[in-house]
Each structure stands twice: as C-alpha cells, then as structure tokens.
Amino acid sequence: MPNYYCEYCGTKSSTIASLTANSCHRHPLGPGKGKHKLYEGSEKTQYSCKYCGTSSSSISGLTANSCHRHPNGVGKGKHSPTL
Ligand SMILES: [Zn+2]
Ligand SMILES: [Zn+2]
C-alpha cells in the first residue's frame, strides 16, 4: 500500500480521497482554512525546503517551522518540501 502525504503538514493517508477530505491545520491560508494538499513527490528519507534548503527527516518536521526565505516574507510561511 502506498502512503500519501499532505504537502503542508505531513499527515499520512492510505488514499488520496481520505487525505484531501480533511482540513489541514497547517494550511497556508490558516489552520483549517483549507484541505490537506497531496504531496506529489516521492517518499524520501530526508526532505529539504525548496526555499531555503533546511532539511528534516519528515514532512511534518519540516513544515512545523517558519521559513526565513519564504516568498511571502521572512517567517510569513512554513518550510515547503521539494518534490
Ligand atoms: Zn495537511
Ligand atoms: Zn524554508
């Protein structure tokens, strides 16, 4: 069974349908302001932020922290994993 992850928070689900049915607590518009978004990259042992290069062993660990090179401004958004 493949695992599907949310790009914003790293929530894991066994189907895309169940992943995108629920609201995301780390959605860029605010907690619960939108649904989980499917992470379309492959499963990795190390995830790097596409803006600043910070790396973490999980998507949830990476996206927990604000990014100092976020396009919306310093600390205006979370790290975002590369695909
Ligand atoms: Zn999410
Ligand atoms: Zn970053």
Side-chain angles (χ1 to χ4, degrees):
M1 279 290 278
N3 288 318
Y4 298 101
Y5 295 90
C6 172
E7 183 175 319
Y8 303 137
C9 69
T11 289
K12 182 165 81 171
S13 184
S14 57
T15 66
I16 296 173
S18 63
L19 182 72
T20 56
N22 295 303
S23 57
C24 180
H25 58 285
R26 283 185 197 154
H27 194 277
L29 298 178
K33 293 279 172 64
K35 307 295 187 185
H36 294 303
K37 182 192 176 198
L38 175 67
Y39 172 68
E40 297 182 80
S42 55
E43 218 168 337
K44 298 176 178 64
T45 52
Q46 196 80 1
Y47 295 91
S48 297
C49 174
K50 62 186 174 190
Y51 304 129
C52 70
T54 293
S55 60
S56 177
S57 59
S58 67
I59 296 178
S60 60
L62 186 69
T63 59
N65 297 302
S66 307
C67 181
H68 56 284
R69 285 194 194 149
H70 195 276
N72 291 349
V74 176
K76 292 280 172 63
K78 308 295 189 185
H79 296 303
S80 185
T82 57
L83 296 183

Coordinates of all heavy atoms in Angstrom, one line a residue:
M1 N 0.8 -1.2 0.0 CA 0.0 0.0 0.0 C 0.9 1.3 0.0 O 1.8 1.4 0.8 CB -0.9 0.0 1.3 CG -2.1 -0.8 1.2 SD -3.3 -0.2 0.0 CE -4.2 1.0 1.1
P2 N 0.6 2.1 -1.0 CA 1.4 3.4 -0.9 C 0.9 4.3 0.2 O -0.2 4.1 0.7 CB 1.1 4.0 -2.3 CG -0.2 3.5 -2.7 CD -0.3 2.1 -2.0
N3 N 1.7 5.2 0.6 CA 1.3 6.2 1.6 C 1.2 7.6 0.8 O 2.1 7.9 0.0 CB 2.3 6.3 2.7 CG 2.2 5.1 3.6 OD1 1.1 4.7 3.9 ND2 3.3 4.6 4.1
Y4 N 0.2 8.3 1.2 CA 0.1 9.7 0.6 C 0.2 10.7 1.7 O -0.3 10.5 2.8 CB -1.3 9.9 -0.1 CG -1.4 8.9 -1.2 CD1 -2.2 7.8 -1.1 CD2 -0.8 9.2 -2.5 CE1 -2.3 6.9 -2.2 CE2 -1.0 8.3 -3.5 CZ -1.7 7.1 -3.4 OH -1.9 6.3 -4.4
Y5 N 0.9 11.8 1.5 CA 1.2 12.7 2.5 C 0.7 14.1 2.1 O 0.6 14.5 0.9 CB 2.8 12.9 2.7 CG 3.4 11.6 3.3 CD1 3.9 10.6 2.4 CD2 3.5 11.4 4.6 CE1 4.5 9.5 2.9 CE2 4.1 10.3 5.1 CZ 4.6 9.3 4.3 OH 5.1 8.2 4.8
C6 N 0.4 14.9 3.1 CA 0.0 16.3 2.9 C 1.3 17.1 2.8 O 2.2 17.0 3.6 CB -0.9 16.8 4.0 SG -1.2 18.6 3.9
E7 N 1.3 18.0 1.7 CA 2.5 18.8 1.5 C 2.6 19.9 2.6 O 3.7 20.4 2.8 CB 2.3 19.5 0.1 CG 3.5 20.4 -0.3 CD 3.3 20.9 -1.7 OE1 2.8 20.1 -2.6 OE2 3.6 22.1 -2.0
Y8 N 1.6 20.3 3.2 CA 1.6 21.3 4.2 C 1.9 20.8 5.6 O 2.6 21.5 6.4 CB 0.2 22.0 4.3 CG -0.2 22.6 3.0 CD1 -1.5 22.5 2.6 CD2 0.6 23.3 2.2 CE1 -2.0 23.0 1.4 CE2 0.2 23.9 1.0 CZ -1.1 23.7 0.6 OH -1.6 24.3 -0.6
C9 N 1.5 19.7 6.0 CA 1.6 19.2 7.4 C 2.2 17.8 7.5 O 2.5 17.4 8.6 CB 0.3 19.3 8.1 SG -0.9 18.1 7.5
G10 N 2.3 17.0 6.4 CA 2.8 15.7 6.5 C 1.9 14.6 7.0 O 2.3 13.5 7.2
T11 N 0.6 15.0 7.2 CA -0.4 13.9 7.5 C -0.3 12.8 6.5 O -0.3 13.1 5.3 CB -1.8 14.6 7.6 OG1 -1.9 15.4 8.7 CG2 -2.9 13.5 7.7
K12 N -0.4 11.6 7.0 CA -0.3 10.4 6.1 C -1.6 9.8 6.0 O -2.4 9.7 6.9 CB 0.7 9.4 6.8 CG 1.0 8.2 5.9 CD 2.2 7.5 6.4 CE 1.9 6.6 7.6 NZ 3.0 5.7 8.0
S13 N -1.9 9.3 4.7 CA -3.2 8.6 4.5 C -2.9 7.5 3.5 O -2.0 7.6 2.7 CB -4.2 9.7 4.0 OG -5.4 9.0 3.8
S14 N -3.8 6.5 3.5 CA -3.6 5.4 2.6 C -4.3 5.7 1.2 O -4.1 5.0 0.2 CB -4.1 4.1 3.2 OG -5.5 4.3 3.6
T15 N -5.2 6.7 1.2 CA -5.8 7.1 -0.1 C -5.8 8.6 -0.2 O -5.9 9.3 0.7 CB -7.3 6.6 -0.2 OG1 -8.1 7.3 0.8 CG2 -7.4 5.1 0.1
I16 N -5.8 9.0 -1.5 CA -5.8 10.4 -1.8 C -7.1 11.0 -1.3 O -7.2 12.1 -0.8 CB -5.6 10.7 -3.3 CG1 -4.1 10.2 -3.7 CG2 -5.7 12.2 -3.6 CD1 -3.9 10.3 -5.2
A17 N -8.2 10.2 -1.6 CA -9.5 10.7 -1.3 C -9.7 11.0 0.2 O -10.3 12.1 0.6 CB -10.6 9.7 -1.7
S18 N -9.2 10.2 1.1 CA -9.3 10.4 2.5 C -8.4 11.6 3.0 O -8.7 12.3 3.9 CB -9.1 9.2 3.3 OG -7.7 8.7 3.2
L19 N -7.2 11.7 2.3 CA -6.3 12.8 2.7 C -7.0 14.2 2.4 O -7.0 15.0 3.2 CB -5.0 12.7 1.9 CG -4.0 13.7 2.2 CD1 -3.4 13.5 3.5 CD2 -2.9 13.7 1.1
T20 N -7.5 14.3 1.2 CA -8.0 15.6 0.7 C -9.4 15.9 1.2 O -9.9 17.0 1.0 CB -7.9 15.7 -0.8 OG1 -8.7 14.7 -1.4 CG2 -6.5 15.7 -1.3
A21 N -10.0 15.0 2.0 CA -11.3 15.2 2.5 C -11.3 16.0 3.8 O -12.2 16.6 4.2 CB -12.0 13.8 2.8
N22 N -10.1 16.0 4.4 CA -10.0 16.7 5.7 C -9.2 18.0 5.7 O -8.3 18.2 4.9 CB -9.3 15.7 6.7 CG -10.1 14.5 7.0 OD1 -11.3 14.6 7.4 ND2 -9.6 13.3 6.6
S23 N -9.6 18.9 6.6 CA -8.9 20.2 6.6 C -7.6 20.1 7.3 O -7.3 19.3 8.1 CB -9.8 21.2 7.4 OG -10.1 20.8 8.7
C24 N -6.7 21.0 6.8 CA -5.3 21.0 7.2 C -5.0 22.0 8.3 O -5.3 23.2 8.1 CB -4.5 21.2 6.0 SG -2.7 21.2 6.3
H25 N -4.4 21.6 9.4 CA -4.0 22.5 10.4 C -2.8 23.4 10.1 O -2.5 24.3 10.9 CB -3.8 21.7 11.7 CG -2.8 20.7 11.7 ND1 -2.9 19.5 11.0 CD2 -1.5 20.7 12.1 CE1 -1.8 18.8 11.1 NE2 -0.9 19.5 11.8
R26 N -2.2 23.1 9.0 CA -1.0 24.0 8.6 C -1.2 24.5 7.2 O -0.3 24.8 6.5 CB 0.3 23.2 8.6 CG 0.8 23.0 10.0 CD 2.2 22.3 10.0 NE 2.5 21.8 11.3 CZ 3.3 20.7 11.5 NH1 3.9 20.1 10.5 NH2 3.5 20.3 12.7
H27 N -2.5 24.7 6.8 CA -2.8 25.3 5.5 C -2.3 26.7 5.4 O -2.3 27.5 6.4 CB -4.3 25.3 5.3 CG -4.7 25.5 3.9 ND1 -4.8 26.8 3.3 CD2 -5.0 24.6 2.9 CE1 -5.1 26.6 2.0 NE2 -5.3 25.3 1.7
P28 N -1.7 27.1 4.3 CA -1.1 28.4 4.1 C -2.1 29.6 4.4 O -1.7 30.7 4.8 CB -0.7 28.5 2.7 CG -0.7 27.1 2.1 CD -1.5 26.3 3.0
L29 N -3.4 29.4 4.2 CA -4.4 30.4 4.5 C -4.7 30.5 6.0 O -5.4 31.4 6.4 CB -5.6 30.2 3.7 CG -5.5 30.2 2.1 CD1 -6.8 30.0 1.5 CD2 -4.9 31.6 1.7
G30 N -4.3 29.5 6.7 CA -4.6 29.5 8.2 C -5.0 28.1 8.6 O -5.5 27.3 7.7
P31 N -4.9 27.8 9.9 CA -5.3 26.4 10.3 C -6.8 26.2 10.0 O -7.6 27.0 10.3 CB -5.1 26.5 11.8 CG -4.1 27.6 12.0 CD -4.4 28.6 10.9
G32 N -7.0 25.0 9.3 CA -8.4 24.6 9.0 C -9.0 25.5 7.9 O -10.2 25.3 7.6
K33 N -8.3 26.3 7.2 CA -8.8 27.2 6.2 C -8.9 26.5 4.8 O -9.3 27.1 3.8 CB -8.0 28.5 6.0 CG -8.2 29.4 7.2 CD -9.5 30.2 7.2 CE -9.7 31.0 8.4 NZ -8.7 32.0 8.7
G34 N -8.4 25.3 4.8 CA -8.4 24.5 3.5 C -8.1 23.1 3.8 O -7.8 22.7 4.9
K35 N -8.1 22.3 2.8 CA -7.9 20.8 2.9 C -6.4 20.5 2.8 O -5.6 21.3 2.3 CB -8.7 20.1 1.8 CG -10.1 20.4 1.7 CD -10.9 20.0 2.9 CE -12.4 20.2 2.7 NZ -13.2 19.9 3.9
H36 N -6.1 19.3 3.3 CA -4.7 18.8 3.0 C -4.5 18.8 1.5 O -5.4 18.6 0.7 CB -4.6 17.3 3.5 CG -4.7 17.2 5.0 ND1 -3.9 17.8 5.9 CD2 -5.6 16.4 5.7 CE1 -4.2 17.5 7.1 NE2 -5.2 16.6 7.0
K37 N -3.2 19.0 1.2 CA -2.9 19.0 -0.3 C -1.9 17.9 -0.5 O -0.9 17.7 0.2 CB -2.2 20.4 -0.6 CG -1.8 20.4 -2.1 CD -0.9 21.6 -2.4 CE -0.5 21.6 -3.8 NZ 0.7 22.5 -4.0
L38 N -2.2 17.1 -1.5 CA -1.4 15.9 -1.8 C 0.1 16.4 -2.1 O 0.3 17.2 -3.0 CB -2.0 15.2 -3.0 CG -1.1 14.0 -3.5 CD1 -1.1 12.9 -2.5 CD2 -1.7 13.5 -4.8
Y39 N 1.0 15.7 -1.4 CA 2.4 15.9 -1.8 C 2.7 15.0 -2.9 O 2.6 13.8 -2.8 CB 3.3 15.6 -0.5 CG 4.8 15.5 -0.8 CD1 5.4 16.7 -1.2 CD2 5.5 14.3 -0.8 CE1 6.8 16.6 -1.5 CE2 6.8 14.3 -1.1 CZ 7.5 15.4 -1.4 OH 8.8 15.4 -1.7
E40 N 3.1 15.6 -4.0 CA 3.3 14.8 -5.3 C 4.7 14.2 -5.5 O 5.0 13.6 -6.5 CB 2.8 15.6 -6.5 CG 1.3 15.9 -6.4 CD 0.8 16.7 -7.6 OE1 0.5 16.0 -8.6 OE2 0.7 17.9 -7.5
G41 N 5.6 14.5 -4.6 CA 6.9 14.0 -4.7 C 7.0 12.6 -4.2 O 6.0 12.0 -3.7
S42 N 8.2 12.0 -4.3 CA 8.3 10.6 -3.8 C 8.7 10.6 -2.3 O 9.2 11.6 -1.8 CB 9.4 9.9 -4.6 OG 10.6 10.7 -4.6
E43 N 8.5 9.4 -1.7 CA 8.8 9.3 -0.3 C 10.3 9.4 -0.2 O 11.1 8.7 -0.9 CB 8.3 8.0 0.2 CG 7.7 8.1 1.6 CD 6.9 6.8 2.0 OE1 6.4 6.1 1.1 OE2 6.8 6.6 3.2
K44 N 10.8 10.1 0.8 CA 12.2 10.3 1.0 C 12.7 10.0 2.4 O 11.8 10.0 3.3 CB 12.6 11.8 0.6 CG 12.4 12.2 -0.8 CD 12.7 13.7 -1.0 CE 12.5 14.1 -2.4 NZ 11.1 14.1 -2.9
T45 N 14.0 9.9 2.6 CA 14.5 9.7 4.0 C 14.8 11.1 4.5 O 14.9 11.3 5.7 CB 15.8 8.9 4.0 OG1 16.7 9.4 3.0 CG2 15.5 7.4 3.7
Q46 N 15.0 12.1 3.6 CA 15.3 13.5 4.0 C 14.5 14.4 3.1 O 14.6 14.3 1.9 CB 16.8 13.7 3.9 CG 17.4 14.9 4.6 CD 17.6 14.6 6.1 OE1 17.3 13.5 6.6 NE2 18.0 15.6 6.8
Y47 N 13.8 15.4 3.7 CA 13.1 16.3 2.9 C 13.7 17.7 3.1 O 14.1 18.1 4.2 CB 11.6 16.4 3.4 CG 10.8 15.1 3.2 CD1 10.8 14.2 4.2 CD2 10.2 14.9 2.0 CE1 10.1 13.0 4.0 CE2 9.5 13.7 1.8 CZ 9.5 12.7 2.8 OH 8.8 11.6 2.6
S48 N 13.9 18.4 2.0 CA 14.5 19.7 2.0 C 13.5 20.8 1.6 O 12.7 20.6 0.8 CB 15.7 19.8 1.0 OG 16.7 18.9 1.4
C49 N 13.6 22.0 2.3 CA 12.8 23.1 2.0 C 13.2 23.7 0.6 O 14.4 23.9 0.4 CB 12.9 24.2 3.0 SG 12.0 25.7 2.6
K50 N 12.2 23.9 -0.3 CA 12.5 24.4 -1.6 C 12.9 25.9 -1.6 O 13.4 26.4 -2.6 CB 11.3 24.2 -2.5 CG 10.0 24.9 -2.2 CD 8.9 24.4 -3.1 CE 7.6 25.0 -2.7 NZ 6.5 24.4 -3.5
Y51 N 12.6 26.6 -0.5 CA 13.0 28.0 -0.4 C 14.4 28.2 0.2 O 15.1 29.1 -0.2 CB 12.0 28.8 0.4 CG 10.6 28.6 -0.1 CD1 9.6 28.2 0.8 CD2 10.2 28.8 -1.4 CE1 8.2 28.1 0.4 CE2 8.9 28.7 -1.8 CZ 7.9 28.3 -0.9 OH 6.6 28.2 -1.3
C52 N 14.7 27.5 1.2 CA 15.9 27.8 2.0 C 16.9 26.6 2.1 O 18.0 26.8 2.6 CB 15.6 28.3 3.4 SG 14.9 27.1 4.5
G53 N 16.4 25.4 1.8 CA 17.3 24.2 1.9 C 17.4 23.5 3.2 O 18.1 22.5 3.4
T54 N 16.6 24.1 4.2 CA 16.6 23.4 5.5 C 16.0 22.0 5.3 O 15.1 21.8 4.5 CB 15.6 24.1 6.5 OG1 16.2 25.4 6.8 CG2 15.3 23.3 7.8
S55 N 16.6 21.0 6.0 CA 16.2 19.6 5.8 C 15.7 19.0 7.1 O 16.1 19.4 8.2 CB 17.2 18.8 5.1 OG 18.4 18.7 5.9
S56 N 14.8 18.0 6.9 CA 14.2 17.3 8.0 C 13.9 15.9 7.6 O 13.8 15.6 6.4 CB 12.9 18.0 8.5 OG 12.3 17.3 9.5
S57 N 13.8 14.9 8.5 CA 13.6 13.5 8.2 C 12.1 13.3 7.9 O 11.8 12.2 7.4 CB 14.1 12.6 9.3 OG 13.4 13.0 10.5
S58 N 11.2 14.3 8.1 CA 9.8 14.1 7.8 C 9.2 15.4 7.3 O 9.7 16.5 7.6 CB 9.0 13.6 9.1 OG 9.0 14.7 10.0
I59 N 8.1 15.3 6.6 CA 7.4 16.5 6.1 C 6.9 17.2 7.3 O 7.0 18.5 7.4 CB 6.3 16.1 5.1 CG1 6.9 15.5 3.8 CG2 5.5 17.4 4.7 CD1 5.8 15.0 2.8
S60 N 6.3 16.5 8.2 CA 5.7 17.2 9.4 C 6.8 18.0 10.2 O 6.5 19.1 10.7 CB 5.0 16.2 10.3 OG 5.8 15.2 10.8
G61 N 8.0 17.4 10.3 CA 9.1 18.1 11.0 C 9.5 19.3 10.2 O 9.9 20.3 10.9
L62 N 9.6 19.2 8.9 CA 10.0 20.4 8.1 C 9.0 21.5 8.2 O 9.3 22.7 8.4 CB 10.2 19.9 6.7 CG 10.8 20.9 5.7 CD1 12.2 21.2 6.0 CD2 10.7 20.4 4.2
T63 N 7.7 21.2 8.0 CA 6.7 22.2 7.8 C 6.2 22.7 9.2 O 5.4 23.6 9.2 CB 5.4 21.6 7.1 OG1 4.9 20.5 7.8 CG2 5.8 21.2 5.7
A64 N 6.8 22.2 10.3 CA 6.4 22.7 11.6 C 7.0 24.1 11.8 O 6.5 24.9 12.7 CB 6.9 21.8 12.7
N65 N 8.1 24.5 11.1 CA 8.8 25.7 11.4 C 8.6 26.7 10.3 O 8.5 26.4 9.1 CB 10.3 25.4 11.6 CG 10.4 24.5 12.8 OD1 10.0 24.9 13.9 ND2 11.0 23.3 12.6
S66 N 8.7 28.0 10.7 CA 8.6 29.1 9.7 C 9.9 29.2 8.9 O 11.0 28.9 9.3 CB 8.5 30.5 10.4 OG 7.4 30.4 11.3
C67 N 9.7 29.6 7.6 CA 10.8 29.7 6.7 C 11.3 31.1 6.6 O 10.5 32.0 6.4 CB 10.4 29.2 5.3 SG 11.7 29.2 4.1
H68 N 12.6 31.3 6.8 CA 13.2 32.7 6.7 C 13.4 33.2 5.3 O 13.8 34.3 5.1 CB 14.5 32.7 7.5 CG 15.5 31.7 7.1 ND1 15.4 30.4 7.4 CD2 16.6 31.9 6.3 CE1 16.5 29.8 6.8 NE2 17.2 30.6 6.2
R69 N 13.1 32.3 4.3 CA 13.2 32.7 2.9 C 11.9 32.5 2.2 O 11.9 32.2 1.0 CB 14.4 32.0 2.2 CG 15.7 32.5 2.6 CD 16.8 32.0 1.7 NE 18.1 32.2 2.2 CZ 19.2 31.5 2.0 NH1 19.1 30.4 1.2 NH2 20.3 31.7 2.6
H70 N 10.8 32.5 2.9 CA 9.5 32.3 2.3 C 9.2 33.4 1.4 O 9.5 34.6 1.7 CB 8.4 32.2 3.4 CG 7.2 31.6 2.9 ND1 6.2 32.3 2.3 CD2 6.7 30.3 2.9 CE1 5.2 31.6 1.9 NE2 5.5 30.3 2.3
P71 N 8.6 33.1 0.2 CA 8.3 34.1 -0.8 C 7.3 35.2 -0.3 O 7.4 36.3 -0.8 CB 7.7 33.3 -2.0 CG 7.4 31.9 -1.5 CD 8.3 31.7 -0.3
N72 N 6.5 34.9 0.7 CA 5.6 35.9 1.2 C 6.3 36.8 2.2 O 5.7 37.8 2.7 CB 4.4 35.2 1.9 CG 3.5 34.5 0.9 OD1 3.6 34.7 -0.3 ND2 2.6 33.7 1.3
G73 N 7.5 36.5 2.6 CA 8.2 37.3 3.5 C 8.8 36.5 4.6 O 8.4 35.3 4.8
V74 N 9.8 37.1 5.3 CA 10.5 36.3 6.4 C 9.5 35.8 7.4 O 8.8 36.6 8.0 CB 11.6 37.2 7.0 CG1 12.3 36.4 8.2 CG2 12.6 37.6 6.0
G75 N 9.5 34.5 7.7 CA 8.6 34.0 8.7 C 7.1 34.0 8.4 O 6.3 33.7 9.2
K76 N 6.7 34.4 7.1 CA 5.3 34.5 6.8 C 4.7 33.2 6.3 O 3.6 33.1 5.9 CB 5.2 35.5 5.6 CG 5.5 37.0 6.1 CD 4.3 37.6 6.8 CE 4.6 38.9 7.4 NZ 4.9 39.9 6.4
G77 N 5.5 32.2 6.3 CA 5.0 30.9 5.9 C 6.0 29.8 6.4 O 7.1 30.1 6.9
K78 N 5.6 28.5 6.2 CA 6.4 27.4 6.7 C 7.3 27.0 5.6 O 7.1 27.3 4.4 CB 5.4 26.3 7.1 CG 4.3 26.6 8.0 CD 4.9 27.0 9.4 CE 3.7 27.2 10.4 NZ 4.3 27.7 11.7
H79 N 8.3 26.2 6.0 CA 9.1 25.5 5.0 C 8.2 24.6 4.1 O 7.2 24.1 4.6 CB 10.1 24.5 5.7 CG 11.1 25.2 6.6 ND1 12.0 26.2 6.1 CD2 11.4 25.1 7.9 CE1 12.8 26.6 7.1 NE2 12.4 26.0 8.2
S80 N 8.6 24.4 2.9 CA 7.8 23.6 2.0 C 8.8 22.6 1.3 O 9.8 23.0 0.8 CB 7.2 24.6 0.9 OG 6.3 23.9 0.1
P81 N 8.4 21.3 1.3 CA 9.3 20.3 0.8 C 9.4 20.4 -0.8 O 8.5 20.7 -1.5 CB 8.7 19.0 1.2 CG 7.2 19.3 1.3 CD 7.1 20.7 1.8
T82 N 10.6 20.1 -1.3 CA 10.8 19.9 -2.7 C 10.2 18.6 -3.1 O 9.9 17.7 -2.3 CB 12.3 19.8 -3.1 OG1 12.9 18.7 -2.3 CG2 13.1 21.0 -2.7
L83 N 9.8 18.4 -4.4 CA 9.2 17.2 -4.8 C 10.3 16.1 -5.0 O 11.4 16.4 -5.2 CB 8.5 17.4 -6.1 CG 7.3 18.3 -6.1 CD1 6.6 18.4 -7.4 CD2 6.3 17.9 -5.0
Ligands
ZN1 ZN -2.2 19.0 5.8
ZN2 ZN 12.5 27.1 4.3

